[in-house]
Every structure is written in C-alpha cells, then in structure tokens.
Amino acid sequence: MDVLKPQIGDWWHALLQGAGLSSGWIVFLDALVITLILLGLGLTSVLFAVWLERKLAARVQDRLGPNRVGPYGLVQTVADALKLLTKEDITPDNAERLSYNLAPGLAVFAVLMLLLVIPFGPGLIGADINVGVLYLVAMGSVGIMAILMAGWSSNNKYALLGGFRAVAQLLSYEIPMILAMSVPVLFAGTMSMEKLVEQQAHGRWFGVVMPAAFFLYFLAALAENERTPFDLLEADSEIVAGYHIEYSGMKFAWFFLAFFLNTLILSAIATTLFLGGWRGPFVEQVPALGIFYFLAKSFVLVFAFMWIRATFPRLRIDQMMAFAWKVMVPTGLVLVLVAAVFVKLPVAPLVRDVLLFLVNVFILLVVAGLVGRHLRLQIKRLSEGAAVVS
Amino acid sequence: MLNTYAVIGLYALVALTFPFIVLLFARLVRPSKPNPLKNSTYECGMETIGDTWVQFRAQYYLFALVFVVFDVEVVFLYPWAVAYGKLGLFALVEMALFIGLLAVALVYAWRKGILEWQ
C-alpha cells in the first residue's frame, strides 16, 4: 500500500538527478521538503483548530463566536496571532531568565516532533521509524519538562502550583495512556505507525476489537491535553492560569499553539492506533481518499474533545489522582493481560475478535459499575454529615 | 533507514530553532517599555508574600516514585508486545507474573495510603 509517496517521490528524485545533484544533496533536500510540509501543515491546522474550538464553545453557550474577520470569522485566528506577535513581552524581574525563555520554545518543539511519525495517508508519513509508538511516548514527556520549567522559572506562586499539578497529572495519566497504546502494538506485533495501519485491514480496527482500550486512551488523552474535566493545572478559579500566567505576547502564543497542536496530534494518534488510520471504503483503488478518511476520523475525535471541554465541570485534584491510579492503571493492566491471553487463544480470528469485544464491554461495565457504587456511597456518607475526603 | 533518521535530525533542528527565531523576530516588531511596576511578579495583583521557591509537598515525590516503577515497566512491555506473536506461551506466563508483581506493588502502595491525596 505504499502508493502516494513513492509516486511523487520517484518523480521528485528523477527531477533532482536530472539537475545533476549528488545523493547526499538529494537526501538533504528530501528531508527539507518533508520538514517544511509538516511544519506548514502543523501551524496552519492549529489556526483552524482554534477557530473551531471558539466557534463550538460559542454554539454550546448559545453565542455566535468569532464572525467578523473573514467568512464565518475564519481569519480571526490569523488576526490574533498577528496581535500576539506585536504585543509587548513582559519578563518579570524575579523570573529565572534562562528557563523562562527556553520553556515556550521547548513546549512547541516537543509537540512538533510528534507530527513526524503520523501517517496522513497511504505512504504519507514524515519518517516511518520502526519504534514509532515508543518515539511518541518519549517525545510526549519532553512537553512535561517544558511545563515544569515554565512554572518554576516564573517565580510566581500560582505558576509554581500549576507546574506541580501539571507534573503530577501528566505523569499519572501517562501510565494508562502507555498501557492502552501497547494493546495495538501487541495485536500488530510492530511499533511502526505505517504497519499498524496496514494491520487494521477489512474494518478490523483495534478500537472496535478493544473498545475499552480505546476508551482508556481517550480519557488519558483528555488528561494529557489538560482538558476539562482534567484541567486543574490551569484552573482559572483556583490558580488563575497555572504555569503560563506570567507569559505574554509571542511566548504565550507558543504555549497556546502547543496546546492546540497537541489536541490535533492526540486525536491523530488515536485514529492511527485504534480507528484504522487512513483506512476506509475504496481506499485501495483511490489512495488519495485515505487523507480524507484520516482527517475525517481525526476531526470527529477533535470535536469530541472540544465538546467535552465545553460541557463538563472540573474534577478535584484528589479525585483526579485517585481516578488515574485506582481506576485507570488497574484497568490498563487487566486489558493488556486480556489482550495477551486472547491473542494466544487457538480459535478462528473472527471468533476471537467477537469474544474480545464482549470481554471489553464487560470490563467497561464492571469498572463503570464500581466507580458508580463508590460515588453513590460517598454521596450517601456526605449526606449523613460525615466528613469524607478521597 | 539512515535517510529516515536524516529526516528526523533535520526536522528536530528546524523544530527546535523555529520557535526561537519567531521570538527574535517578535522582538524586532514589538514595543518594549518596561517599568518596575509592570515587571513585578503577578503584575495586576498584589505582590506575593515570601519566597516562591519553597520546599514543595512530599506528596508529589511519592507519586513520582510510583510513576518511575510503572514507567520502567513500559520499557519491558513494549519489546514484549512487539515480539509476542513470535514467542510461545511462555511469554504470556512471564508477563502475567511481571504484571502480577506490579499489581501487588500497586495494592501495597494503595493500602499504605500513598495514593490518597491529603
């Protein structure tokens, strides 16, 4: 299925060789073109995502949202970006200057690096490395460091609290996320993002076979993206804005960009790992359709992210930590073992998939039931007047 | 294969320098009129009292410790998951034992009250 990139690539390489360039130069120019395409794609898609989020949140709250700059306010984000670029950039006197200035750039770097291993269509991938999923996990952690640097170096108590909360939350939710991501790897027997999509042929999406793993990933992604109901690290009513409170101008814009690009990329990863990536009807005949399917699936998830943000209240920090360690981590461990047992089961693939689906639904129901029972007990105890924490 | 890593190298270089180049550019076009009041911590509110860089609560440290245990587990989990199809039933038993041990550790931490946020 390596269709699109080789076709364009052959034409491109013939052109370069015709111009009489050495192979070293061709490798360099290849890399340069991929880099520029991915950066351009990443930055422009953020402009659209910001507009989408504002428009959606406005509709949920019975407002119109941006509607002045351009048709449907589409160019509003460009205007905002220009405004942020020309806005005065204030560095507090007490700030630790080196990490204060490094943090926004590092946050953007960490997110941009993730774009490299996402397959947008058949063969359309920046770098198809054989450790793709591990690369995603590793690069995802760099962003946490940027947030801690920003929170600590601002020398502001709100920012520091935001930074601490960020590290506690992002680290805790990384574990269930990694466990959920290991399930597709287990099925496919590869960590290459391109091969993971190839393994999900004939509608056998890993998210359909293992809905519980997909759900676990989705919840963890919400937390990793600092979105409601897990947005304590920038809870406006408690710590004003968290780690980026002292940032203004373009440095703030970088944190903002990193946040929105992260939303898009987490959805893209979910699409690749669980929803069949660019797979869909007739994609074998018309490979270009793959790009459409990929973007459509990703934006359905982005829509869900934004919808949840517009409608859900925020959790308390003890609830948030308890949910990660007492609900999601045990569920993740059980799911990995269940997947491993079923892969070795000596039955027909179809029977196995149906059984796995049923077991997954059962696990989801049991976990939801247990959490619900716990909550009902708490409410009962609270209404009886006893002081309950946890 | 080497070409792939050439792409990653160049991309990493550009992705790392690009934000800072834009920041330098912004420096040229933006106004800069600092004054002591504007540059104070938490500009629009009251100065905070006392030092910011205080000792933080030990709770975060405990969570970090539990995290390290599980993060190391992942280092073993991913190679196992990749090779699982080629390995025999022994791989399953082995990983079940490993995850079982981790589960015991998690239960221990839970019973010890480390997972309670005070």
Side-chain angles (χ1 to χ4, degrees):
Chain A
M1 278 312 292
D2 225 29
V3 192
L4 284 179
K5 199 168 158 189
Q7 272 177 10
I8 308 168
D10 286 345
W11 168 80
W12 164 249
H13 285 151
L15 190 81
L16 289 182
Q17 271 156 2
L21 289 169
S22 67
S23 59
W25 273 103
I26 292 179
V27 170
F28 174 73
L29 282 174
D30 266 3
L32 195 68
V33 166
I34 292 174
T35 304
L36 292 180
I37 289 176
L38 280 179
L39 280 182
L41 197 77
L43 298 179
T44 45
S45 60
V46 166
L47 293 180
F48 177 69
V50 174
W51 171 83
L52 189 70
E53 167 115 46
R54 291 180 64 181
K55 210 69 181 166
L56 274 174
R59 287 298 175 184
V60 170
Q61 296 159 1
D62 203 9
R63 293 184 288 121
L64 285 175
N67 63 351
R68 282 286 171 269
V69 194
Y72 304 102
L74 260 170
V75 200
Q76 180 69 50
T77 329
V78 180
D80 289 345
L82 281 176
K83 176 214 143 194
L84 283 169
L85 190 72
T86 54
K87 205 172 152 67
E88 183 172 3
D89 192 352
I90 301 163
T91 310
D93 285 333
N94 293 332
E96 209 279 320
R97 286 195 164 249
L98 182 67
S99 10
Y100 180 84
N101 290 324
L102 273 179
L106 200 63
V108 174
F109 165 75
V111 184
L112 278 178
M113 285 307 279
L114 299 177
L115 264 180
L116 204 53
V117 292
I118 295 190
F120 293 96
L124 283 184
I125 182 168
D128 184 25
I129 45 177
N130 53 9
V131 286
V133 179
L134 204 60
Y135 172 90
L136 286 176
V137 173
M139 276 298 158
S141 311
V142 179
I144 303 179
M145 205 171 69
I147 288 174
L148 185 63
M149 274 166 74
W152 182 80
S153 66
S154 293
N155 205 346
N156 177 325
K157 287 185 181 174
Y158 293 122
L160 190 71
L161 276 175
F164 280 158
R165 282 186 180 191
V167 174
Q169 170 176 335
L170 297 182
L171 288 188
S172 299
Y173 280 87
E174 203 172 274
I175 302 293
M177 192 170 177
I178 293 169
L179 287 174
M181 279 163 90
S182 74
V183 170
V185 174
L186 184 69
F187 280 133
T190 174
M191 284 195 274
S192 145
M193 297 292 267
E194 184 74 21
K195 295 207 179 71
L196 271 165
V197 178
E198 275 165 30
Q199 294 278 332
Q200 301 183 60
H202 312 301
R204 187 180 170 267
W205 298 352
F206 296 142
V208 176
V209 183
M210 292 283 285
F214 175 53
F215 198 59
L216 198 69
Y217 176 87
F218 186 77
L219 283 182
L222 274 179
E224 284 289 310
N225 196 212
E226 307 142 32
R227 274 176 179 275
T228 348
F230 306 105
D231 66 341
L232 307 115
L233 59 166
E234 41 189 279
D236 310 40
S237 50
E238 297 165 26
I239 48 174
V240 203
Y243 60 89
H244 57 58
I245 180 173
E246 290 288 3
Y247 285 89
S248 53
M250 205 55 209
K251 285 185 194 136
F252 169 74
W254 282 142
F255 279 118
F256 200 65
L257 181 132
F259 171 76
F260 272 94
L261 196 55
N262 208 5
T263 309
L264 296 175
I265 289 176
L266 284 168
S267 319
I269 296 171
T271 306
T272 310
L273 291 180
F274 294 104
L275 298 183
W278 42 259
R279 286 201 173 274
F282 305 115
V283 83
E284 272 80 8
Q285 288 83 19
V286 194
L289 264 179
I291 304 170
F292 168 73
Y293 288 131
F294 181 81
L295 289 179
K297 287 175 194 170
S298 297
F299 269 94
V300 167
L301 288 176
V302 170
F303 177 79
F305 271 61
M306 292 174 174
W307 188 11
I308 289 172
R309 192 190 195 194
T311 43
F312 272 73
R314 182 180 300 139
L315 289 175
R316 247 181 12 231
I317 189 158
D318 58 303
Q319 294 168 329
M320 187 266 294
M321 296 303 274
F323 189 67
W325 288 105
K326 296 179 182 175
V327 180
M328 289 177 81
V329 171
T331 315
L333 291 175
V334 169
L335 280 176
V336 170
L337 275 185
V338 164
V341 168
F342 274 81
V343 166
K344 283 278 182 253
L345 221 57
V347 288
L350 188 68
V351 180
R352 194 182 64 199
D353 289 350
V354 171
L355 277 176
L356 252 179
F357 175 79
L358 291 176
V359 170
N360 264 264
V361 172
F362 177 71
I363 291 173
L364 269 181
L365 287 177
V366 167
V367 171
L370 284 175
V371 173
R373 198 175 127 243
H374 177 72
L375 290 179
R376 272 196 300 279
L377 270 175
Q378 260 193 4
I379 293 168
K380 202 171 148 216
R381 265 187 288 174
L382 275 176
S383 60
E384 280 164 4
V388 183
V389 194
S390 101
Chain B
M1 201 63 209
L2 265 178
N3 289 0
T4 319
Y5 283 98
V7 174
I8 295 178
L10 188 75
Y11 185 82
L13 205 68
V14 175
L16 193 59
T17 46
F18 169 73
F20 295 105
I21 291 169
V22 174
L23 282 180
L24 279 180
F25 174 69
R27 209 190 180 91
L28 296 177
V29 293
R30 68 180 159 81
S32 182
K33 300 190 190 82
N35 67 46
L37 207 57
K38 204 190 264 176
N39 286 1
S40 63
T41 300
Y42 200 44
E43 184 196 349
C44 56
M46 268 219 264
E47 266 305 322
T48 45
I49 297 167
D51 195 10
T52 310
W53 294 326
V54 292
Q55 189 180 20
F56 58 90
R57 53 194 301 170
Q59 188 87 45
Y60 291 107
Y61 178 67
L62 291 176
F63 274 106
L65 272 184
V66 184
F67 165 77
V68 168
V69 172
F70 279 89
D71 216 29
V72 171
E73 177 219 351
V74 171
V75 177
F76 295 115
L77 192 66
Y78 273 81
W80 170 78
V82 170
Y84 187 63
K86 301 178 196 83
L87 300 173
L89 206 61
F90 179 66
L92 175 62
V93 178
E94 212 172 28
M95 194 40 82
L97 274 176
F98 185 52
I99 290 182
L101 273 176
L102 275 173
V104 170
L106 187 66
V107 169
Y108 177 74
W110 193 335
R111 293 300 293 259
K112 271 285 197 184
I114 288 171
L115 302 183
E116 308 294 332
W117 191 269
Q118 284 113 23

